[in-house]
Amino acid sequence: MAFTAAVLGLGNIGRCVIRSLEQSPDATCVGVVRRPASVGTTPYDLRGVPDFPSFDDLLNSVERPDVVIMGLPSRLSPHAAAELLSRGFNTVDSFDIHDRVVEVVGALESHAEKGHAVSITAAGWDPGTDSVFRTIFEAMTPVGTTFTNFGRGRSMGHSAAVRSLDGVVDATAITIPMGGGNHSRHVFVVLEKGHTLEDVTKAIKADPYFAHDPLTVTQVKDTAALEMVADASHGVLMERVGASGSACNQHLSMEMRIDNPALTAQVLVSSARAAVRLCQQERYGCYSLIDIPPIMLLPGDRMELLGRLV
């Protein structure tokens, strides 16, 4: 099965999505939607893909895409996805506000059913593929506790949340694991003139992204200084200690060190493939990755994949 995709947004995620589509044997990127003022700039990021100031402009110029891949900040994704689903377009996004995932799935479900389309939301690495590992770990050891420890690394969602606050020119948020599934956040900010570090720190603490974790906020002089404190690396150590039947002391673990936007983009592209397949089967609605058979994420023939992976 071959499929075509459009990309909505050309930030860190969007640029990596284009590269992942370029490397996928069954995918073609037909166009990118970005800010009107940016159209025609940064040709290297576009990799030869045409860019457009609006989704309707894209539709007027290229073939209708099978799926739209969101490269938007999390808080903007649900509204954009709802509009596209109602128009009959399949969507995938990496919405990452954990305690709102159930709400978003419920909201997008009705739009997807209305438009006879498929949405896959929260399709990054956490939530996303880490969610699948947590599910499998629990199936293997039904009684027990799972700890997910993130970092050390830059969180794109947390960084974007700070950048959206009044008085912030630019920001980078670092996630620091404390063990036992607990984390602290260290945010480096460039402030607009007339805004104080105290006021911005209060606003960050009030944001749901940061409300539950210890927080340190440090002011730096410019964006160049931000580049000195973090790259795109991130990681996770997931551990579960529990029981399988009457056998206790089962210890499961999964660890990875990653380039954050690159891995998120790859999961989005794999999820885009699954969304198209679900739509072809007329299984309209909104899904998370734990709803989807893993084989749907991979290119290739089912029997060949079974022979190679099982």
Side-chain angles (χ1 to χ4, degrees):
M1 180 204 77
F3 69 96
T4 58
V7 180
L8 194 57
L10 196 65
N12 289 326
I13 298 296
R15 290 193 294 270
C16 289
V17 166
I18 291 175
R19 292 185 176 95
S20 291
L21 288 168
E22 187 178 49
Q23 297 298 319
S24 297
D26 57 345
T28 301
C29 185
V30 298
V32 180
V33 179
R34 57 195 304 208
R35 296 185 185 94
S38 299
V39 171
T41 65
T42 61
Y44 177 77
D45 292 333
L46 291 166
R47 317 287 290 181
V49 174
D51 57 345
F52 304 93
S54 73
F55 189 70
D56 286 331
D57 286 321
L58 180 148
L59 292 179
N60 289 332
S61 301
V62 300
E63 65 179 288
R64 178 188 174 98
D66 295 315
V67 60
V68 181
I69 302 176
M70 302 285 181
L72 302 175
S74 275
R75 288 185 170 124
L76 301 180
S77 288
H79 176 76
E83 182 178 338
L84 289 168
L85 290 165
S86 295
R87 295 173 62 181
F89 293 95
N90 302 314
T91 67
V92 296
D93 66 70
S94 56
F95 183 83
D96 69 349
I97 305 175
H98 287 259
D99 58 6
R100 287 190 56 205
V101 169
V102 173
E103 166 200 339
V104 169
V105 169
L108 294 183
E109 185 86 30
S110 60
H111 292 285
E113 291 176 349
K114 172 185 175 183
H116 287 182
V118 169
S119 165
I120 302 179
T121 191
W125 59 274
D126 204 306
T129 48
D130 280 2
S131 310
V132 176
F133 279 106
R134 283 190 287 269
T135 302
I136 296 298
F137 277 13
E138 189 164 324
M140 295 166 71
T141 55
V143 177
T145 305
T146 301
F147 300 104
T148 307
N149 303 286
F150 302 113
R152 178 187 182 271
R154 182 178 66 182
S155 168
M156 293 183 295
H158 288 80
S159 299
V162 178
R163 285 194 292 269
S164 70
L165 297 175
D166 189 37
V168 176
V169 175
D170 202 354
T172 290
I174 307 298
T175 299
I176 303 168
M178 300 170 64
N182 298 307
H183 306 84
S184 65
R185 313 287 179 178
H186 194 158
V187 179
F188 297 86
V189 294
V190 181
L191 300 181
E192 292 180 2
K193 289 184 178 180
H195 293 266
T196 68
L197 183 61
E198 180 182 5
D199 289 341
V200 169
T201 299
K202 288 180 180 178
I204 295 172
K205 287 183 176 179
D207 189 285
Y209 268 105
F210 297 91
H212 309 296
D213 300 319
L215 173 68
T216 300
V217 183
T218 300
Q219 182 178 355
V220 297
K221 64 179 181 178
D222 54 31
T223 297
L226 290 180
E227 297 175 357
M228 299 299 293
V229 300
D231 58 18
S233 64
H234 214 322
V236 66
L237 171 62
M238 186 184 302
E239 298 179 288
R240 182 169 178 83
V241 178
S244 306
S246 60
C248 299
N249 299 318
Q250 309 282 56
H251 184 192
L252 314 178
S253 67
M254 182 277 290
E255 183 175 12
M256 63 184 186
R257 300 298 306 172
I258 61 167
D259 179 293
N260 192 354
L263 184 60
T264 301
Q266 185 60 64
V267 176
L268 283 167
V269 170
S270 297
S271 300
R273 179 180 296 112
V276 175
R277 285 172 168 159
L278 288 166
C279 186
Q280 290 175 343
Q281 296 174 9
E282 299 184 357
R283 295 168 62 180
Y284 310 127
C286 182
Y287 300 84
S288 77
L289 283 190
I290 70 171
D291 295 311
I292 298 169
I295 199 168
M296 280 196 164
L297 300 170
L298 300 177
D301 173 72
R302 172 177 176 255
M303 298 308 291
E304 186 276 328
L305 291 169
L306 290 176
R308 181 164 60 86
L309 297 173
V310 176

